[in-house]
Amino acid sequence: MEPETTATPRDEIVEIVRELQLTYPIETLDEFVSQISGSREAIVFRGVAYDAEFASRLLPTFYLPIASEQDLVEKAYELLIARGLAPVSQP
């Protein structure tokens, strides 16, 4: 039996972003999509695999540019909050 995961949505975002090893800054959505879809076919979040290009295009263009790994984590988590997929505050 596998142990239950206690990873929060934010923890998962941090893990995914670190694994992607993107080059920053990222100035455009096309550059963001290219870097992500060029590095993998799928992104697994909350146990569900999403096509990498599809997932990367979920980021609104007004979130760009992305200055750093931390900036991407913050913006991705903010997007989850806005869509009702994560709590407003993390414990």
Side-chain angles (χ1 to χ4, degrees):
M1 179 177 223
E2 291 184 35
E4 275 190 44
T5 180
T6 58
T8 65
R10 184 184 205 86
D11 293 337
E12 284 194 62
I13 290 170
V14 168
E15 183 179 331
I16 290 166
V17 169
R18 286 187 179 149
E19 288 175 0
L20 289 171
Q21 298 182 356
L22 304 177
T23 302
Y24 301 93
I26 301 171
E27 300 293 334
T28 67
L29 184 59
D30 286 341
E31 182 183 349
F32 183 67
V33 171
S34 177
Q35 282 198 50
I36 291 180
S37 61
S39 68
R40 59 182 54 206
E41 290 183 21
I43 293 176
V44 178
F45 181 71
R46 307 308 282 172
V48 178
Y50 298 92
D51 175 77
E53 183 173 348
F54 169 80
S56 60
R57 289 197 181 278
L58 294 174
L59 189 75
T61 56
F62 61 82
Y63 277 23
L64 296 152
I66 300 169
S68 65
E69 185 177 279
Q70 182 62 33
D71 189 31
L72 177 55
V73 168
E74 294 304 319
K75 289 174 177 175
Y77 190 68
E78 182 180 296
L79 186 59
L80 288 179
I81 291 170
R83 293 187 174 173
L85 301 172
V88 173
S89 61
Q90 277 296 127

